[in-house]
């Protein structure tokens, strides 16, 4: 499970496997929307595509600046997704690029 720990996520770097990855930032590469990541330990950079096939009831992970949330998709819009937490504890609209299908 990924968590945000201070200014880093708990996701390991694919090169050095150290958990020193900064939360990503959105950008376009070759006409595709991606999320760019950088490892603070080895300076490796990589990107992942923004999820385009998110559907209602998908289980997702949402990476926010100071937290990582897990929940179920309730609504999908072009640029944002509404996610509901387990047990209905919270309901939040988030930018699409922050969502990862879990």
């Amino acid at each position: 499970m990924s968590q945000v720990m201070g200014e880093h996520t708990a996701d390991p770097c694919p090169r050095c496997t150290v958990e020193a990855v900064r939360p990503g930032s959105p950008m376009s590469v070759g006409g595709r929307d991606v999320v760019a990541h950088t490892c603070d330990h080895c300076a490796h950079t990589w990107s992942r595509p923004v999820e385009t096939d998110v559907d209602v009831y998908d289980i997702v992970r949402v990476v926010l600046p100071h937290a990582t949330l897990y929940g179920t998709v309730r609504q999908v819009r072009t640029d944002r997704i509404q996610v509901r937490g387990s047990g209905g504890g919270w309901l939040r609209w988030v930018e699409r690029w922050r969502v990862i299908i879990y």
Side-chain angles (χ1 to χ4, degrees):
M1 283 188 190
S2 172
Q3 300 175 6
V4 173
M5 303 162 79
E7 57 188 33
H8 299 100
T9 70
D11 293 318
C13 170
R15 178 183 283 168
C16 70
T17 68
V18 172
E19 294 177 351
V21 178
R22 289 192 175 278
S25 58
M27 63 186 324
S28 284
V29 173
R32 289 189 64 185
D33 291 331
V34 298
V35 180
H37 294 277
T38 303
C39 176
D40 278 351
H41 181 73
C42 72
H44 177 61
T45 60
W46 69 98
S47 62
R48 68 167 175 83
V50 172
E51 302 282 359
T52 58
D53 60 346
V54 178
D55 291 317
V56 172
Y57 302 121
D58 281 349
I59 304 299
V60 296
R61 179 175 84 181
V62 180
V63 181
L64 299 172
H66 300 293
T68 298
L69 305 174
Y70 296 85
T72 305
V73 174
R74 303 300 291 173
Q75 294 185 55
V76 178
R77 300 286 185 257
T78 303
D79 61 340
R80 59 194 177 124
I81 295 172
Q82 188 179 48
V83 180
R84 179 180 179 204
S86 300
W90 51 268
L91 184 66
R92 179 179 285 191
W93 283 100
V94 295
E95 298 158 305
R96 179 181 284 269
W97 67 268
R98 294 185 179 279
V99 173
I100 300 168
I101 296 175
Y102 195 61

